[in-house]
Amino acid sequence: MKDSKVDVILHPVRMRIIQQLINQELTAQQLKELLPDIPQASLYRNIKKLADAEVIQVVAEVPIRGTVEKVYSIHQTGMAVSPEEMNNMSKDEHMGFFIKFLANLMGEFERYLNQENIDLVADGVSFRQGTFYLNDEEFREFIKQLTAVYANISQNKPEKGRRSRIISNIFIPGEKME
């Protein structure tokens, strides 16, 4: 049975590959250097799975010593899950995907905690929850502003003095006030 696009994306290793490819183009070798804890065979297998699902794409092929090295980036529409796909999923499927998302998030936090010499305050670690009352238009405006902030910082490339920072959002609507 073919995996759904959500299944392909929400795999822990594939999520990490996708995170590295956001707004940049990388070869498998560069991904290996950025994700040294992922075995090479697993990395290549998951790159292939993402490419086959058209989540990532080959944007260039560079000849190197008699072989061709592929350069990957996020496929323009590859990360999108259609509204039809979302609406056709059962409640159990949605819960399963949410659990996978949370498991990936917990894996990232565990990876952070397992580093030497961490300082949660200096590193800016935080997690919090708040409830806000917004009508549909106010919520759309909030998402528009948040998207603009993300678009601005997502252009940053890895370089000396920078570290990756994982930011996750979960929006869960509560009861509608009448």
Side-chain angles (χ1 to χ4, degrees):
M1 183 172 99
K2 184 181 176 199
D3 287 336
S4 72
K5 186 168 280 189
V6 176
D7 279 322
V8 171
I9 292 170
L10 286 179
H11 183 276
V13 171
R14 293 190 284 268
M15 285 281 289
R16 292 181 64 205
I17 293 168
I18 290 166
Q19 288 169 351
Q20 293 300 323
L21 287 171
I22 292 174
N23 291 316
Q24 61 182 344
E25 299 173 353
L26 299 168
T27 65
Q29 181 59 38
Q30 290 169 316
L31 283 165
K32 173 122 183 65
E33 291 167 11
L34 292 167
L35 304 167
D37 59 313
I38 299 174
Q40 185 170 337
S42 177
L43 181 69
Y44 280 91
R45 185 173 49 257
N46 284 288
I47 288 171
K48 181 175 181 352
K49 186 92 168 176
L50 287 167
D52 289 348
E54 297 181 348
V55 174
I56 65 173
Q57 64 185 348
V58 176
V59 293
E61 293 185 349
V62 181
I64 295 182
R65 296 183 295 274
T67 187
V68 176
E69 190 169 37
K70 295 177 181 176
V71 180
Y72 298 94
S73 75
I74 300 289
H75 195 282
Q76 292 297 329
T77 59
M79 294 290 290
V81 176
S82 74
E84 295 81 26
E85 288 175 292
M86 291 294 289
N87 285 331
N88 288 330
M89 290 181 206
S90 70
K91 289 179 182 180
D92 286 342
E93 287 174 311
H94 280 287
M95 184 55 76
F97 293 135
F98 188 69
I99 289 168
K100 285 182 183 179
F101 173 81
L102 292 177
N104 285 330
L105 192 57
M106 290 185 321
E108 292 294 343
F109 191 62
E110 181 179 29
R111 237 181 314 285
Y112 166 76
L113 292 175
N114 287 332
Q115 294 179 77
E116 296 290 322
N117 304 318
I118 63 169
D119 181 336
L120 281 81
V121 174
D123 292 343
V125 173
S126 71
F127 38 93
R128 55 182 56 97
Q129 180 174 323
T131 300
F132 306 95
Y133 293 92
L134 306 168
N135 63 34
D136 291 346
E137 182 56 37
E138 291 167 330
F139 182 67
R140 281 190 291 275
E141 181 61 27
F142 169 71
I143 295 299
K144 181 179 169 186
Q145 292 173 9
L146 190 58
T147 301
V149 169
Y150 282 177
N152 184 41
I153 63 173
S154 69
Q155 302 303 312
N156 294 351
K157 303 288 186 222
E159 61 184 46
K160 188 174 174 71
R162 283 190 174 150
R163 71 185 308 172
S164 63
R165 299 182 188 272
I166 297 167
I167 301 170
S168 297
N169 287 319
I170 301 171
F171 298 106
I172 303 171
E175 301 263 338
K176 195 173 205 174
M177 308 302 282
E178 297 296 330

